[in-house]
Amino acid sequence: MLVVTGSPRTGTSAMMQTLKILGLVPVSPAFQKEHEGIEHYNIKGFYEPNLEEVLTLKDTPSGVVKLFGSALPFVEKNIVNRMIIMKREKQQASKSYRPIMEEIQEDADVDFVYDFCYDEIDKMKVGVDNIEVNYED
């Protein structure tokens, strides 16, 4: 399975949209119930699986899935054979993520989320073919 990963607001949705245009099949729909009210942040879709989908990825034979680094501990490493790692400067990603957290009234430490995601990505990418893509404003 191909995994598109990163931290929130690092271009993961744009990469999923690109891969879909190129013919790859996303595991998750463009929007989930959790995206109601924030669709305007990614009008072409987020492609984020819900927790149930993450926990059943081992039953999905192929495709492309978007997983933030924070979701990687819930995935069996043997199903991940390739990774596209999206990167963006922490300050830019955090600045873009804060308004979403405020809009959904979540009190998340966005800098912590960023660091945690890349810590988990570093663990998962060992032994997995990967490419890093830098996203800049």
Side-chain angles (χ1 to χ4, degrees):
M1 178 164 303
L2 171 60
V3 173
V4 174
T5 190
S7 175
R9 310 307 294 168
T10 59
T12 52
S13 297
M15 180 57 71
M16 288 296 294
Q17 294 161 19
T18 301
L19 294 172
K20 184 177 181 206
I21 288 170
L22 293 174
L24 279 77
V25 179
V27 169
S28 300
F31 296 100
Q32 300 274 14
K33 183 179 179 183
E34 297 83 8
H35 299 125
E36 288 179 11
I38 60 167
E39 299 94 338
H40 56 281
Y41 286 101
N42 275 341
I43 59 172
K44 294 186 178 180
F46 292 92
Y47 296 96
E48 296 167 6
N50 58 35
L51 183 57
E52 182 179 322
E53 290 172 320
V54 171
L55 296 175
T56 59
L57 282 174
K58 66 182 183 313
D59 301 325
T60 306
S62 64
V64 58
V65 64
K66 171 183 167 181
L67 296 171
F68 291 128
S70 54
L72 293 175
F74 301 100
V75 176
E76 294 180 26
K77 187 171 182 171
N78 64 329
I79 68 167
V80 179
N81 55 23
R82 294 170 289 162
M83 294 173 68
I84 297 175
I85 303 166
M86 301 300 296
K87 299 205 89 173
R88 186 179 186 188
E89 182 189 308
K90 181 180 182 177
Q91 183 179 6
Q92 292 174 352
S94 295
K95 181 179 177 183
S96 179
Y97 192 35
R98 279 188 188 94
I100 297 173
M101 293 291 93
E102 289 172 6
E103 191 163 327
I104 63 172
Q105 298 178 349
E106 251 191 63
D107 188 25
D109 180 343
V110 295
D111 292 329
F112 172 82
V113 170
Y114 181 96
D115 292 336
F116 181 75
C117 284
Y118 287 105
D119 287 346
E120 294 303 320
I121 290 167
D122 287 343
K123 293 175 194 173
M124 178 66 82
K125 75 180 185 183
V126 175
V128 176
D129 289 336
N130 66 77
I131 183 170
E132 293 188 11
V133 178
N134 288 314
Y135 171 85
E136 295 186 24
D137 289 351

